Amino acid sequence: MKRPEDLRSHRWFGGDDLRDFSHRARSRQLGLNPEEHLGKPVIGILNTWSDINPCHMHLRERAEQVKRGVWQAGGFPLEFPVATLSETFQKPTPMLYRNLLAMETEEILRSYPIDGAVLMGGCDKTTPALLMGAASAGLPAIFVPAGPMLRGHWRNEVLGSGTDMWKYWDEKRAGLIGDTELAELERGLARSPGTCMTMGTASTMTSAAEVLGMTMPGAASIPAVDSAHHRMAAASGLRIVDMVWEDLTIGQVLGKDAFADAITTVLALGGSTNAVIHLIAMAGRCGIPLSLAEFDVVAREVPVLANIRPGGAYLMEDFYYAGGLPGLLSRLTDLLHTDRPTVSGRTLGETLEGARVHNDDVIRPRDNPLAAEGGVAVLHGNLAPSGAVIKHIAAEARLLRHTGPAVVFDDYPDLKKRINDPALAVTADSVLVLRGSGPLGGPGMPEYGMLPIPDYLLAQGIRDMVRISDARMSGTSYGACVLHVAPESFVGGPLALVRDGDPITLDVPARTLRLEVDDVELERRRAEWVAPAPKFERGYGALYSEHITQADEGCDFDFLARPGANPEPDVR
Ligand code: FES
């Protein structure tokens, strides 16, 4: 147990030299008497609330409940507004800024008198960003997930954000619904604060945070507006104070076994392909190398148990009532490392005692899974030497072994301009290829990976085709979309060499992706290839471009991912 004089914040306030005098004087300027915080754990609440982020609109109020818990436990809370990464509004993609929030998190925790951290986020990249930064900072930390929004509704139908947006937009393009229906859908898709309520990237990553041991038990599944969410926030505030006294740092929680369990869980959830990139990056911050191969090995052994859209039928609200993540984990205990620590102070296994499933259709038993294999397959071949991924459970089965001629788009503007041009003569057997959409080319790997199917094919009833890109795909999307092709085309990956009409073979059971063009011809094309000009000449974009790694490496900045000295600030 720590003593008050062992607290990190004590270095700012506890001495009797000029600096401590100055810090205490400025605390008084904040309206604080020294006895209010001296000798108490100072808890930094890093809040990604913003007016622009509908997924986090309740976090300003929820921070008050965290503070309530911190006060009750004898700590001293300080709230720090940090960057918000709104999946909906930030362009070209919040993925461009994940590492910026991670840097901000790390440096806020390092540079201020903070003893422990409460990390508040949930909208897609905010979860990995906050955890990556906190892992590098190394203090005790607990994550408060924003929680999913309530189910969407339209007429008598339940709507899933993202998933049903894509679905009904395609219905509109196919002429099956009109403007009246679309206006009604617009009002019903997202009707409460909280993150997307499908098993998109948000719920995938907050569930990963929970099984990693970084949240209070059951936290990730609680709907954002449920009163249980308020209580979870307060409990997190209470707990972080004890974690500081116990010196339970994030490094003690996030070990190799924790990441192994996160992979198992993400696959059993049928979670977002984005989790592959984020978990590799998060593990990298903990000095734990994760490879794409590990996801594929686990995927072959772990069935999908969560019957949640886009792969399944239900939504996160149903998942919560069915027992939530603890319920699902209770069906996987033989595959998990249940004796490892969590922020709750109990082992993972202890947190799962009493966990139950209340609806076997929402959380399937192991002998009646939604899919026998996990939700992600890793592909290799001459088109993806460093790998690619496909969420094959969200694709039409007939496309999982498919050869077809390529129809190539150089970048997203090219795709938008030409996709509906009948002169392209795209057929249902064509393979749509989008390049220029990777970490550097996108930039930021925008979620372009669910390439739109041409209107004239939609009108014929075609709803899925093989699509290949170096982009990512929203966790709420679906289809036979090969993603994260590495290395990306922008740096000369083989995707840059594909030409219209080239046969491409996707074979998911064999885990291969091949461009059926001989090596001599590919070498000839490579010799002709001209590297594109850098996207950025200055600013954050230039820093990003100089240091971003490829998808199979987690898209972290090389200088953040590597080990090495980054000393505590000299307070004197
Ligand atoms: Fe924020 Fe989906 S837009 S979680």
Side-chain angles (χ1 to χ4, degrees), residues 167-407:
K167 177 181 149 188
Y168 285 106
W169 189 253
D170 281 352
E171 303 280 286
K172 186 232 172 203
R173 291 201 298 134
L176 299 175
I177 62 170
D179 290 344
T180 305
E181 289 82 0
L182 212 61
E184 290 174 10
L185 284 159
E186 198 174 294
R187 288 190 281 273
L189 269 166
R191 62 187 188 87
S192 85
T195 51
C196 289
M197 72 313 233
T198 46
M199 190 50 73
T201 306
S203 286
T204 303
M205 292 312 301
T206 55
S207 298
E210 179 171 329
V211 76
L212 282 167
M214 288 303 303
T215 73
M216 294 304 284
S221 317
I222 305 171
V225 295
D226 196 294
S227 61
H229 199 270
H230 300 235
R231 296 192 296 274
M232 177 273 293
S236 303
L238 265 167
R239 178 62 196 145
I240 186 65
V241 177
D242 285 344
M243 286 173 65
V244 170
W245 290 126
E246 294 164 11
D247 203 19
L248 178 56
T249 60
I250 192 167
Q252 296 170 52
V253 177
L254 296 183
K256 174 82 181 163
D257 290 346
F259 283 99
D261 290 349
I263 294 174
T264 299
T265 303
V266 163
L267 293 166
L269 288 168
S272 164
T273 45
N274 285 321
V276 177
I277 295 175
H278 296 319
L279 286 174
I280 289 173
M282 290 160 65
R285 293 300 188 96
C286 301
I288 299 165
L290 278 191
S291 70
L292 287 177
E294 290 176 67
F295 287 84
D296 200 67
V297 168
V298 178
R300 290 171 190 264
E301 296 167 356
V302 176
V304 179
L305 302 184
N307 187 7
I308 312 290
R309 298 183 205 182
Y314 295 95
L315 294 171
M316 286 303 292
E317 197 178 340
D318 307 299
F319 186 63
Y320 176 59
Y321 302 142
L325 191 67
L328 179 128
L329 296 179
S330 73
R331 294 193 156 166
L332 296 170
T333 48
D334 57 312
L335 302 176
L336 301 173
H337 301 82
T338 51
D339 57 350
R340 59 185 174 80
T342 72
V343 293
S344 69
R346 292 177 282 157
T347 65
L348 178 68
E350 288 167 344
T351 68
L352 296 178
E353 283 169 11
R356 297 271 182 282
V357 173
H358 309 296
N359 185 327
D360 279 343
D361 195 34
V362 178
I363 302 174
R364 296 288 186 85
R366 293 270 283 275
D367 58 6
N368 182 30
L370 191 70
E373 281 192 1
V376 173
V378 176
L379 310 169
H380 283 88
N382 68 346
L383 198 47
S386 300
V389 302
I390 182 170
K391 188 172 184 171
H392 52 314
I393 62 162
E396 289 187 10
R398 66 185 173 83
L399 295 170
L400 298 180
R401 263 203 176 109
H402 179 84
T403 299
V407 177

Side-chain angles (χ1 to χ4, degrees), residues 86-106:
S86 170
E87 193 59 35
T88 308
F89 293 113
Q90 193 172 30
K91 307 297 177 188
T93 161
M95 187 62 183
L96 190 64
Y97 299 102
R98 184 198 66 182
N99 299 343
L100 185 64
L101 175 56
M103 281 172 69
E104 184 186 18
T105 299
E106 179 179 353

Side-chain angles (χ1 to χ4, degrees), residues 53-56 85-88 122-124 149 161 194-196 202 476:
N53 196 336
C55 307
H56 295 180
L85 310 181
S86 170
E87 193 59 35
T88 308
C123 185
D124 288 27
M149 60 177 110
S161 56
T195 51
C196 289
T476 61

